Amino acid sequence: MPLRRPAHLPHLLSLPPRPIRYGAAVTVGAVLLLCGCAVPSDTTAGKARPAGRITPTTAAGRPGVAVRSVRGERLLPGVGPEMLARVPDSTSQVLLVTGTDRDGSTATARLYRRTPDGWEPTTGSWPAHNALKGWTHDHRIGDLRSPVGAFTLTDAGGLLPDPGTRLPYDRSTGFRIAGTGSRGEPLAGSFDYVVAIDYNRQPGTTPLDWTRPEGAAKGGGIWVHVDHHGPTQACVSIARDHMKELLRALGPSRKPMIVMGDAASLAR
């Protein structure tokens, strides 16, 4: 999300058992990294659990994700075969975020589940914000665009207590934020609840983890978080009540993903 920073800083239908919570809280300063919305961490607290590594699906796709027939199914609205092929058969829950246009910063979000007849919505349509300059297929640090693609959702956290999610949840003072956004709106409370988007991050870790598997230049720290009534740096933001609803709905056994981008890109 666009933040003011010191000029000298560099760009940097049964419930499963409750998941293991992360370890020690990560405490960091108030400065945010411009590549995304995440607060940078200089500690290894909350690193990945030793077993069960999850491989994210990125905008470029991953080996082993097969293109499957979608004939006869109720498809994700506005999502074409190229993007739909990036959602594996094992995923039965998708947060669909559709931007108004390639250079716009407003979007709509809605949660869907897979049924025998295809995809059906499980929530209403939520107003959302994305990055200040819109969307990109090649996100880079500091470009103020949100990445287009399909990404896994494996980890959550926030400044406030867990509202009842089944995802691993890291409550930490590291999610505290101050300052103002690009429209002068206050940012306080934006990270009260977050879900990490598995873009250039290690799934299975706290959202505050600073590992960047594809290198720092590709950005990272991209989350779904509480809306502050303005564009973000690269994240997706929705209203506080909708964040709580999302957290309570996401189930690890459903291998949830986010499909996000401008309408034209999603339609491919």
Side-chain angles (χ1 to χ4, degrees), residues 9-98:
L9 286 180
H11 284 298
L12 303 162
L13 250 165
S14 59
L15 297 182
R18 294 291 292 176
I20 298 173
R21 280 357 195 185
Y22 295 113
V26 180
T27 302
V28 296
V31 178
L32 303 184
L33 190 65
L34 282 178
C35 64
C37 296
V39 182
S41 170
D42 56 3
T43 176
T44 57
K47 294 290 285 186
R49 291 156 297 196
R53 176 171 177 170
I54 303 169
T55 301
T57 301
T58 71
R62 294 292 187 201
V65 178
V67 176
R68 58 185 176 80
S69 172
V70 295
R71 184 173 300 172
E73 291 186 3
R74 287 199 299 266
L75 305 183
L76 290 168
V79 179
E82 180 181 321
M83 187 62 68
L84 195 63
R86 297 169 184 169
V87 179
D89 290 335
S90 59
T91 288
S92 61
Q93 201 169 39
V94 163
L95 178 64
L96 177 60
V97 179
T98 306

Side-chain angles (χ1 to χ4, degrees), residues 136-160:
T136 180
H137 291 273
D138 185 25
H139 175 66
R140 297 285 170 172
I141 185 170
D143 66 7
L144 297 180
R145 289 183 179 270
S146 298
V148 174
F151 310 96
T152 49
L153 300 173
T154 56
D155 305 281
L159 183 65
L160 298 184

Side-chain angles (χ1 to χ4, degrees), residues 24-30 39 158-160 170-177 191 208:
V26 180
T27 302
V28 296
V39 182
L159 183 65
L160 298 184
D170 177 26
R171 185 188 183 189
S172 171
T173 56
F175 293 100
R176 182 172 286 115
I177 181 175
F191 302 157
L208 295 171

Side-chain angles (χ1 to χ4, degrees), residues 177-221:
I177 181 175
T180 57
S182 62
R183 296 177 179 171
E185 75 279 11
L187 299 176
S190 299
F191 302 157
D192 283 354
Y193 305 108
V194 313
V195 176
I197 296 172
D198 291 340
Y199 170 88
N200 197 22
R201 72 176 297 270
Q202 177 59 59
T205 64
T206 169
L208 295 171
D209 182 60
W210 216 239
T211 302
R212 297 290 178 259
E214 299 179 57
K218 289 287 291 180

